[in-house]
Amino acid sequence: MPADPPHRAGKPQRSTTSQPPSGSGASPIEVRRSARRRRTVSAYREGDRTVVLIPARMSEAEEQRWVTVMLDKLAAQENKRVLGDTELGERAQRLSEQYFDGRARPASVRWVTNQNTRWGSCTPAEGSIRLSHRLQGMPDYVVDYVLCHELAHLLVPGHGPRFWRLLEAYPRTERARGYLEGVAAADRLPHAPGPQDE
């Protein structure tokens, strides 16, 4: 589904605006339903709000699902402006302050291209964090989760109960883990045959 500004073909049938959770820093979301729109869903930024265009016939449950999907797509597009190592380090510092009271202090945070079986790694003795380049272009909350995961390792080396309790501070842990599990599963699926394979 495209995430580009739509063609202005007609007036929306109904429009609703919702505010994001307080303190999330996200913009308000406006859902515009259109009787002319049959199957496509699109989203774009308009000033300080996000506009999601959907067919008028969609149920409330479908609307919620598509709003989530399109917000993730927009975030992924915007995140394709790749952060450099300096920005990545600054982001890790902000996350440490926000979720670990600043106790996790990495000496270095950088992207690497030699991690194809893991999303990130940490060497607590050196205070170094490395993120796989495969995360570039994924939604911010996913990159933030991996950073938080590695920051937590600076405080607790293993994956025991204490580690997971610490990581519970990051509110989107389960969603980010689900996203990464989906990406990993999709990588293992056989690709659909193309016309040349038939």
Side-chain angles (χ1 to χ4, degrees), residues 5-170:
H7 299 293
R8 312 269 181 209
K11 291 194 168 201
Q13 184 181 39
R14 183 166 60 97
S15 178
T16 57
T17 302
S18 62
Q19 295 294 327
S22 61
S24 69
S27 63
I29 300 156
E30 180 178 343
V31 177
R32 295 179 186 167
R33 289 176 173 262
S34 170
R36 287 186 167 191
R37 188 174 283 269
R38 297 286 177 217
R39 290 189 301 263
T40 61
V41 177
S42 61
Y44 60 96
R45 307 287 188 205
E46 185 177 82
D48 67 342
R49 70 182 57 236
T50 301
V51 177
V52 181
L53 301 158
I54 63 172
R57 63 174 174 70
M58 272 193 182
S59 69
E60 293 295 320
E62 289 174 310
E63 174 183 318
Q64 286 303 315
R65 185 176 72 80
W66 276 107
V67 165
T68 300
V69 166
M70 297 312 289
L71 289 176
D72 285 348
K73 283 185 181 246
L74 281 174
Q77 287 175 355
E78 291 164 355
N79 200 35
K80 283 185 179 165
R81 297 185 295 270
V82 177
L83 298 172
D85 290 347
T86 302
E87 293 89 357
L88 199 61
E90 291 167 355
R91 193 161 170 178
Q93 284 300 127
R94 283 194 305 273
L95 290 167
S96 176
E97 297 288 334
Q98 188 172 1
Y99 299 111
F100 306 114
D101 298 320
R103 293 179 297 128
R105 296 187 185 101
S108 68
V109 183
R110 62 191 173 93
W111 296 107
V112 293
T113 57
N114 62 351
Q115 289 191 130
N116 294 316
T117 59
R118 57 177 63 189
W119 298 111
S121 62
C122 171
T123 307
E126 298 172 3
S128 63
I129 291 174
R130 295 162 303 282
L131 296 192
S132 171
H133 72 286
R134 296 178 304 138
L135 289 165
Q136 294 173 343
M138 289 190 189
D140 286 348
Y141 75 91
V142 175
V143 176
D144 286 351
Y145 162 72
V146 177
L147 278 171
C148 283
H149 185 106
E150 302 310 332
L151 286 165
H153 276 311
L154 292 177
L155 303 171
V156 180
H159 285 107
R162 192 167 149 244
F163 172 83
W164 292 110
R165 276 194 305 275
L166 190 62
L167 198 52
E168 283 174 1
Y170 182 65

